[in-house]
Coordinates of all heavy atoms in Angstrom, one line a residue:
E35 N -28.8 33.0 -115.3 CA -28.9 31.7 -116.0 C -30.4 31.2 -115.9 O -31.0 30.7 -116.8 CB -28.0 30.7 -115.4 CG -26.5 30.9 -115.7 CD -25.6 29.9 -115.0 OE1 -26.2 29.1 -114.2 OE2 -24.4 29.9 -115.3
H36 N -30.9 31.4 -114.7 CA -32.3 31.0 -114.5 C -33.3 31.7 -115.4 O -34.2 31.2 -116.0 CB -32.7 31.2 -113.0 CG -34.1 30.7 -112.7 ND1 -35.2 31.5 -112.8 CD2 -34.5 29.5 -112.3 CE1 -36.2 30.8 -112.5 NE2 -35.9 29.6 -112.1
D37 N -33.1 33.0 -115.5 CA -33.9 33.9 -116.4 C -33.8 33.5 -117.8 O -34.8 33.4 -118.6 CB -33.6 35.3 -116.2 CG -33.9 35.8 -114.8 OD1 -34.7 35.1 -114.1 OD2 -33.4 36.9 -114.4
Q38 N -32.6 33.2 -118.3 CA -32.4 32.8 -119.7 C -33.1 31.5 -120.1 O -33.7 31.4 -121.1 CB -30.9 32.7 -120.0 CG -30.5 32.3 -121.4 CD -30.9 33.4 -122.4 OE1 -30.9 34.6 -122.0 NE2 -31.3 33.1 -123.6
V39 N -33.0 30.5 -119.2 CA -33.6 29.2 -119.4 C -35.1 29.4 -119.5 O -35.8 28.8 -120.3 CB -33.2 28.2 -118.4 CG1 -34.0 26.9 -118.5 CG2 -31.7 27.9 -118.6
G40 N -35.6 30.2 -118.5 CA -37.1 30.4 -118.5 C -37.6 31.1 -119.7 O -38.7 30.8 -120.2
K41 N -36.8 32.0 -120.3 CA -37.3 32.7 -121.5 C -37.4 31.8 -122.6 O -38.3 31.8 -123.5 CB -36.3 33.8 -121.8 CG -36.7 34.7 -123.0 CD -35.7 35.8 -123.2 CE -36.1 36.6 -124.4 NZ -35.2 37.7 -124.7
E42 N -36.4 30.8 -122.8 CA -36.4 29.9 -123.9 C -37.6 29.0 -123.8 O -38.3 28.6 -124.8 CB -35.1 29.1 -123.9 CG -33.9 29.9 -124.2 CD -32.6 29.1 -124.1 OE1 -32.7 27.9 -123.8 OE2 -31.5 29.7 -124.4
E43 N -38.0 28.6 -122.6 CA -39.1 27.6 -122.4 C -40.4 28.3 -122.8 O -41.3 27.7 -123.3 CB -39.1 27.1 -121.0 CG -37.9 26.3 -120.5 CD -37.8 25.0 -121.3 OE1 -38.9 24.6 -121.8 OE2 -36.8 24.4 -121.3
L52 N -42.9 23.0 -127.4 CA -42.5 22.5 -126.1 C -43.1 21.1 -126.0 O -44.3 20.9 -126.1 CB -43.0 23.3 -125.0 CG -42.6 22.9 -123.6 CD1 -41.1 23.0 -123.5 CD2 -43.3 23.8 -122.6
I55 N -44.4 16.9 -120.9 CA -43.5 16.8 -119.7 C -42.9 15.5 -119.6 O -41.7 15.4 -119.2 CB -44.3 17.2 -118.4 CG1 -43.2 17.3 -117.3 CG2 -45.3 16.1 -118.1 CD1 -42.4 18.5 -117.4
V58 N -39.8 15.1 -122.0 CA -38.6 16.0 -121.7 C -37.6 15.2 -120.9 O -37.9 14.6 -119.9 CB -39.1 17.2 -121.0 CG1 -37.9 18.1 -120.7 CG2 -40.1 18.0 -121.8
P59 N -36.3 15.2 -121.3 CA -35.3 14.6 -120.5 C -35.3 15.2 -119.0 O -35.7 16.3 -118.8 CB -34.0 14.9 -121.2 CG -34.4 15.2 -122.6 CD -35.8 15.8 -122.5
E60 N -34.8 14.3 -118.1 CA -34.9 14.7 -116.7 C -34.1 16.0 -116.4 O -34.5 16.8 -115.6 CB -34.3 13.6 -115.8 CG -35.2 12.4 -115.8 CD -34.7 11.4 -114.8 OE1 -33.7 11.7 -114.1 OE2 -35.3 10.3 -114.7
A61 N -33.0 16.2 -117.1 CA -32.2 17.4 -116.9 C -33.0 18.6 -117.3 O -33.0 19.6 -116.6 CB -30.9 17.3 -117.6
R62 N -33.7 18.5 -118.5 CA -34.5 19.6 -118.9 C -35.8 19.7 -118.1 O -36.3 20.8 -117.9 CB -34.8 19.4 -120.4 CG -33.6 19.4 -121.3 CD -33.0 20.8 -121.4 NE -33.9 21.7 -122.1 CZ -33.9 23.0 -122.0 NH1 -32.9 23.6 -121.3 NH2 -34.8 23.8 -122.6
R63 N -36.3 18.6 -117.7 CA -37.6 18.6 -116.9 C -37.4 19.4 -115.6 O -38.3 20.1 -115.2 CB -38.0 17.2 -116.6 CG -39.4 17.1 -116.0 CD -39.7 15.6 -115.6 NE -39.5 14.7 -116.7 CZ -39.4 13.4 -116.6 NH1 -39.5 12.9 -115.4 NH2 -39.2 12.6 -117.7
E64 N -36.3 19.3 -115.0 CA -36.0 20.1 -113.8 C -36.1 21.6 -114.1 O -36.6 22.4 -113.3 CB -34.7 19.8 -113.2 CG -34.6 18.4 -112.6 CD -33.3 18.1 -112.1 OE1 -32.4 18.9 -112.2 OE2 -33.1 16.9 -111.5
L65 N -35.6 22.0 -115.3 CA -35.7 23.4 -115.6 C -37.1 23.9 -115.9 O -37.5 24.9 -115.5 CB -34.8 23.7 -116.9 CG -33.3 23.5 -116.7 CD1 -32.6 23.7 -118.0 CD2 -32.8 24.4 -115.6
V66 N -37.9 23.0 -116.5 CA -39.3 23.3 -116.8 C -40.1 23.4 -115.5 O -40.8 24.4 -115.2 CB -40.0 22.3 -117.7 CG1 -41.4 22.5 -117.8 CG2 -39.3 22.3 -119.1
E67 N -39.9 22.4 -114.6 CA -40.6 22.5 -113.3 C -40.2 23.6 -112.4 O -40.9 24.2 -111.7 CB -40.3 21.2 -112.5 CG -41.0 20.0 -113.2 CD -40.6 18.7 -112.5 OE1 -39.7 18.7 -111.6 OE2 -41.2 17.6 -112.8
S68 N -38.9 24.0 -112.6 CA -38.4 25.2 -111.8 C -39.1 26.4 -112.2 O -39.1 27.4 -111.5 CB -36.9 25.3 -112.0 OG -36.6 25.7 -113.3
D69 N -39.8 26.4 -113.4 CA -40.5 27.6 -113.8 C -41.7 27.9 -113.0 O -42.2 29.0 -112.9 CB -41.0 27.5 -115.3 CG -40.7 28.7 -116.1 OD1 -40.0 29.6 -115.6 OD2 -41.3 28.9 -117.2
Q70 N -42.2 26.8 -112.3 CA -43.4 26.9 -111.5 C -43.0 27.3 -110.1 O -43.9 27.5 -109.2 CB -44.1 25.6 -111.5 CG -44.5 25.2 -112.9 CD -45.1 23.8 -112.9 OE1 -45.3 23.2 -111.9 NE2 -45.5 23.3 -114.1
R71 N -41.7 27.3 -109.7 CA -41.2 27.7 -108.4 C -41.0 29.1 -108.3 O -40.9 29.8 -109.3 CB -39.9 26.9 -108.0 CG -40.1 25.4 -108.1 CD -38.8 24.7 -107.9 NE -38.9 23.3 -108.2 CZ -37.9 22.5 -108.3 NH1 -36.6 23.0 -108.2 NH2 -38.0 21.2 -108.5

Side-chain angles (χ1 to χ4, degrees):
E35 290 178 351
H36 183 272
D37 292 342
Q38 181 64 31
V39 172
K41 182 178 180 182
E42 292 175 0
E43 297 293 344
L52 183 64
I55 191 67
V58 179
E60 289 186 3
R62 297 288 295 164
R63 190 184 304 167
E64 289 179 0
L65 294 176
V66 173
E67 290 175 350
S68 67
D69 222 17
Q70 302 173 3
R71 301 173 188 171

